[in-house]
Amino acid sequence: MRTAFIEQLILEARINPKIFLLVGDLGFSVVEPFAKEFPDRFINVGIAEQNMTAVASGLAMEGYTVFTYSIANFPTLRCMEQIRYDVCYHNLDVKIVAVGAGYAYASLGPSHHATEDIGMLRTIPGLTIASPGDPLEARRLTTLLSRNPGPAYLRLGKAGEAVVHPAEPEIRMGKPVLVKDGKETAVFATGSILKYAHDQLKDEKRDWALFSFPVIKPIDGEALLPVFKKFNMIICIEEHQLSAGFGSAVLEKANDLLQAGLLEKFPHINRVGIQDEFISIAGTQDFIRNRAGLVL
Amino acid sequence: MKTEKSQELANKIRQTAVEMVHRAKASHIGGALSMADILAVLYEEVMAIFPDNPSDPRRDRFLLSKGHACTALYAVLAHKGFFPLKELESYSLDGSRLLSHTSHKVPGIELSTGSLGHALGVACGMGLAAKRQNKSFHTYCMVSDGELNEGSNWEAILFAPHHQLGNLTLIVDYNKIQSFGTVEEVLNLEPLHSKFIAFGWEVLEIDGHQHSDILKALKNSKIDTARPTVIIAHTIKGKGVSFMENKLLWHYRSPSDQDLEIAKREIQP
């Protein structure tokens, strides 16, 4: 995904001279092509994420579209207040890019597990949250965010994720993307766990639908209405704490629709996510996902 | 150097700021008074300002990092015509855009502040943008001494010389008192001058109430184009009102009717 992101960002930067990339001394063997082609629009700010986000704010105030790039929780949690107060309160065109969503850096331990970021960030007014499920979604989102001014968070997996979609999907802000149609049950997935969900539904006994949510804030409630009405069961799966994450956002939307009189009954929604715990053993991403109970 | 006009403006800032905190029963007058002279010189003599078009791209940028001392900034902006003086009467009252920490919704204000340690990094971004776009505006950032406790400031203090931001001037309002005691007691900054030297800054040290010194330093800060300048301005918290000077209490207390009367008398030129 990170390669898809940087390749797409280079394409965008060729047509938009205002795109600027700041990295927090991470992105070795990823960001170099951008730095080489656009030396006037690239800085490695060093291991200083608060300053990276503040500098991004200053650049954005002077007209740039600024991408900040680092891994795991460093460009988000480490500088949460700069994101909230400098970027979002001033409604600046800053896109925060984190590589390593969920347990992508599984063996590196909880310091590198990005498993609370959605919950912490989605309460901040005006911040779009994008969470691609495969490299094709990452490409589309990079373009979408580059061309839509305002604060955004792009939650990337790592490298080498398999492609799920047969072709680049059309992504519209806040709307789910149908990956596979089915009966009775619909699975809502966000992030690279989409591939796992997709593999699980190849089983003939599970003729379920699968929707990817490349954008999890905002979520267009009305786009969910027909899905809530059609399926008896919704299963939300995410590589994030259950608390305040993607599934919670879906629950909130369902409740809003019910209260607004647009739904007659509350849909059955089952959530798969992390059960309020840190995982402090080593393992592959698949192993840690399994250990955390992220299974369908 | 003639400083009559900036002296007159400093008095107006002090008068107005004291009236504002009195009316709103608000805090933080001490730190507003300590930087009043520097603001007066900046806005009267140094910065390119466009009160009728506050976002004119040619303007110099001023970022007040110590957002709690915003009364002095609102006052100088109103006195220079960015918005009507009358609006200052609404300061901190129901429905006013004049929040009691610096708000970018107010004409002439670049950045909202209030959480300490935010503005210098943003100022670095602005300075960097000016360099990359070959623009000639200068960026000024004022921090308090206490907020140099924040690690984020030191990230930016490393960054600015590395990127040769000679178009950036940092001013430290060094009044020696922070929220809970003296700077020396709480978390000592000394030797501050040599810290900045070690970080690669051009360092000027002045009496932050002597207008000729302030003017000279601000002008000199534009000369070195390869290094950012820090002006360490030695100031007195509560300067200009005898019973507020060097008193921690006036970080918090709001002046009574009687306090206001005495203060206004003392501030008269």
Side-chain angles (χ1 to χ4, degrees):
Chain A
M1 273 194 209
R2 62 188 185 194
T3 311
F5 159 72
I6 203 74
E7 285 176 3
Q8 198 64 30
L9 189 66
I10 288 169
L11 295 178
E12 290 298 319
R14 282 179 189 156
I15 54 173
N16 179 356
K18 292 293 189 185
I19 287 179
F20 206 113
L21 176 63
L22 300 176
V23 304
D25 205 31
L26 284 163
F28 181 73
S29 81
V30 179
V31 300
E32 290 87 342
F34 187 101
K36 196 174 170 197
E37 188 167 341
F38 309 106
D40 288 343
R41 291 187 272 149
F42 173 84
I43 284 186
N44 175 2
V45 301
I47 308 163
E49 295 80 9
Q50 293 184 75
N51 193 52
M52 174 167 71
T53 309
V55 168
S57 301
L59 287 167
M61 289 171 89
E62 298 301 333
Y64 286 106
T65 295
V66 191
F67 284 76
T68 62
Y69 178 100
S70 185
I71 71 165
N73 299 305
F74 313 149
T76 53
L77 274 57
R78 181 60 177 253
C79 47
M80 187 63 79
E81 203 184 52
Q82 280 79 9
I83 293 171
R84 175 185 178 269
Y85 192 52
D86 300 340
V87 174
C88 293
Y89 181 45
H90 294 84
N91 192 31
L92 298 175
D93 200 12
V94 174
K95 322 295 182 187
I96 299 131
V97 183
V99 169
Y103 296 123
Y105 290 107
S107 273
L108 275 57
S111 64
H112 285 61
H113 295 168
T115 46
E116 295 79 32
D117 52 329
I118 295 171
M120 292 192 192
L121 286 158
R122 79 181 179 93
T123 58
I124 301 177
L127 182 68
T128 296
I129 302 182
S131 167
D134 81 344
L136 296 178
E137 288 188 12
R139 275 185 192 281
R140 282 306 267 248
L141 287 167
T142 303
T143 296
L144 191 69
L145 297 183
S146 298
R147 297 180 187 185
N148 282 278
Y153 169 43
L154 180 60
R155 185 182 198 250
L156 295 175
K158 203 170 70 178
E161 290 90 351
V163 168
V164 173
H165 298 281
E168 264 191 43
E170 188 188 349
I171 295 176
R172 284 177 298 159
M173 207 55 96
K175 299 195 192 306
V177 176
L178 180 67
V179 181
K180 172 189 170 299
D181 210 350
K183 294 175 190 151
E184 302 292 326
T185 296
V187 175
F188 290 2
T190 192
S192 67
I193 207 160
L194 176 70
K195 174 70 170 84
Y196 162 79
H198 191 245
D199 288 348
Q200 293 300 303
L201 302 193
K202 282 177 181 162
D203 183 344
E204 285 177 7
K205 290 177 198 158
R206 285 175 161 176
D207 186 17
W208 298 349
L210 175 62
F211 291 88
S212 179
F213 281 70
V215 178
I216 53 178
K217 188 191 172 188
I219 290 180
D220 179 351
E222 295 204 8
L224 297 183
L225 262 182
V227 186
F228 284 149
K229 287 177 176 170
K230 179 177 174 187
F231 295 93
N232 295 329
M233 170 68 83
I234 307 292
I235 303 173
C236 299
I237 183 164
E238 63 192 300
E239 205 166 349
H240 184 273
Q241 299 290 347
L242 282 173
S243 174
F246 163 62
S248 300
V250 172
L251 283 177
E252 290 163 13
K253 281 294 165 194
N255 191 59
D256 292 348
L257 293 168
L258 187 75
Q259 296 302 322
L262 297 168
L263 269 180
E264 283 177 17
K265 62 181 177 65
F266 201 86
H268 291 288
I269 298 175
N270 188 15
R271 293 182 301 143
V272 178
I274 305 162
Q275 306 269 355
D276 200 32
E277 64 171 342
F278 293 110
I279 303 281
S280 44
I281 51 170
T284 63
Q285 185 172 16
D286 284 344
F287 177 86
I288 300 296
R289 279 176 175 173
N290 209 44
R291 173 69 181 238
L294 307 185
V295 292
L296 283 176
Chain B
M1 288 183 207
K2 288 188 177 173
T3 57
E4 292 86 358
K5 284 176 82 177
S6 63
Q7 291 281 3
E8 192 186 328
L9 182 57
N11 283 333
K12 286 181 185 169
I13 294 170
R14 288 196 164 94
Q15 289 268 8
T16 310
V18 174
E19 285 169 5
M20 286 164 75
V21 293
H22 168 261
R23 194 181 299 110
K25 298 185 171 50
S27 306
H28 300 134
I29 186 61
L33 295 176
S34 68
M35 67 176 190
D37 293 299
I38 300 165
L39 284 186
V41 176
L42 270 170
Y43 279 84
E44 189 63 49
E45 303 288 347
V46 178
M47 290 204 307
I49 57 170
F50 301 85
D52 294 331
N53 180 23
S55 57
D56 190 299
R58 294 166 296 173
R59 75 196 186 281
D60 287 324
R61 276 62 161 167
F62 176 75
L63 280 68
L64 181 66
S65 195
K66 43 176 290 190
H68 56 281
C70 60
T71 47
L73 181 57
Y74 293 153
V76 75
L77 290 171
H79 282 292
K80 295 306 290 183
F82 282 83
F83 56 90
L85 276 165
K86 181 85 179 154
E87 187 176 346
L88 295 174
E89 292 172 15
S90 75
Y91 170 69
S92 196
L93 302 180
D94 288 353
S96 175
R97 63 180 171 173
L98 300 179
L99 290 163
S100 58
H101 282 83
T102 310
S103 171
H104 71 287
K105 309 286 182 183
V106 176
I109 290 183
E110 307 282 347
L111 184 75
S112 284
T113 53
S115 175
L116 297 172
H118 279 248
L120 184 57
V122 178
C124 285
M126 290 175 151
L128 185 64
K131 275 192 77 169
R132 295 283 166 106
Q133 297 172 357
N134 293 317
K135 289 183 177 164
S136 59
F137 68 81
H138 200 87
T139 302
Y140 299 89
C141 178
M142 169 105 72
V143 295
S144 70
D145 43 17
E147 76 169 305
L148 287 175
N149 297 173
E150 294 280 6
S152 54
N153 275 324
W154 294 96
E155 292 182 3
I157 291 166
L158 268 173
F159 181 90
H162 183 87
H163 293 283
Q164 302 184 323
L165 301 183
N167 58 6
L168 174 69
T169 298
L170 169 64
I171 304 158
V172 181
D173 180 11
Y174 200 3
N175 63 33
K176 321 289 188 301
I177 297 176
Q178 56 187 101
S179 319
F180 226 77
T182 65
V183 169
E184 190 181 7
E185 288 164 354
V186 176
L187 193 56
N188 191 13
L189 292 174
E190 290 301 326
L192 188 58
H193 188 111
S194 49
K195 281 190 179 75
F196 276 106
I197 293 280
F199 274 71
W201 288 64
E202 175 75 19
V203 186
L204 304 171
E205 207 155 352
I206 62 166
D207 176 337
H209 301 303
Q210 288 297 327
H211 286 224
S212 53
D213 283 11
I214 299 167
L215 184 56
K216 192 175 161 201
L218 287 169
K219 286 191 168 168
N220 281 343
S221 79
K222 287 190 171 178
I223 293 172
D224 188 339
T225 55
R227 285 192 299 173
T229 299
V230 57
I231 299 173
I232 300 174
H234 293 278
T235 56
I236 293 168
K237 194 154 188 158
K239 172 71 178 179
V241 179
S242 58
F243 59 89
M244 294 182 183
E245 288 189 359
N246 284 319
K247 296 281 195 305
L248 173 65
L249 185 66
W250 290 96
H251 192 77
Y252 304 99
R253 178 173 280 187
S254 180
S256 66
D257 293 350
Q258 196 190 354
D259 292 334
L260 176 68
E261 208 176 299
I262 300 168
K264 286 177 74 171
R265 227 174 15 239
E266 290 190 10
I267 294 167
Q268 290 295 339

